[in-house]
Structures are given as structure tokens and as C-alpha cells.
Amino acid sequence: MNRTRLALLAVGLSIGLTACGSNNGGNSSADGSTEQSGARAIFEQNCASCHGENLEGGFGPSLEHVGSELSKKEILEQIKTGGGGMPEHIIKGEKAEKVAQWLASKK
């Protein structure tokens, strides 16, 4: 393969991989919408070690369908007060609000 073709192939692969990896700063869901303002990233940084990366549970309970059981307000209260092995205020303020809203949507 000559150098020109090799260079074009490299550029094409680079552009293709960049496009595939781009998600505009958020996590895309199956329907193409961005996860609620980084709520999933906050969850992954603070909660996934106990509740699992895919909400499947582990040391802590599964949260896959927590929105069917608890409202946003109840989830936020759990985040604030902790209990059952969960420390209180593991996330605070606006971050806690975002995660509670995101989890409440998990039906």
C-alpha cells in the first residue's frame, strides 16, 4: 500500500473512532437521550461499588427498578439519611437531586 492510501486510511479510522466515541459529554441511553445531566456518572463514582455498575446490587440492594418502589423524594431521603449500611450524605446537594431523579425513573 502506498503512503497516500495509508495516510487516508489512518485519517478515516481516526475520524470514525472519534465519532463512535463521542457522546457530547454525557452518557447516552438506548433511546439516544443523554443520561440526566451526568447523574449516571455521579452514581458510578459514589454508589456503584455497593449497588453495582448496572444497578444490579452487590453489597447494597439492586436499584434496577427502584423507581417502581420509591419516589424521588423517598430516594433523596435515603441518600441524605443513609441507613442499613449506607452512610448518610454519600452525595450532597444538586448531585443528590440529580441521582434521585435518575433513580426514580428506573421503573
Side-chain angles (χ1 to χ4, degrees), residues 6-91:
L6 189 56
L8 288 173
L9 179 61
V11 170
L13 283 172
S14 177
I15 292 171
L17 292 174
T18 301
C20 290
S22 177
N23 64 7
N24 299 322
N27 294 318
S28 295
S29 63
D31 66 0
S33 65
T34 301
E35 293 284 354
Q36 294 176 340
S37 301
R40 182 169 184 85
I42 296 166
F43 173 87
E44 288 173 353
Q45 293 170 357
N46 298 280
C47 314
S49 62
C50 291
H51 294 287
E53 289 183 31
N54 296 308
L55 310 174
E56 73 275 10
F59 179 74
S62 169
L63 300 176
E64 290 176 299
H65 305 289
V66 70
S68 296
E69 302 165 17
L70 301 174
S71 67
K72 175 190 172 190
K73 182 178 177 181
E74 291 169 320
I75 295 168
L76 187 57
E77 186 63 25
Q78 179 68 38
I79 292 169
K80 288 180 180 179
T81 61
M86 180 175 159
E88 63 185 30
H89 297 290
I90 192 88
I91 46 180

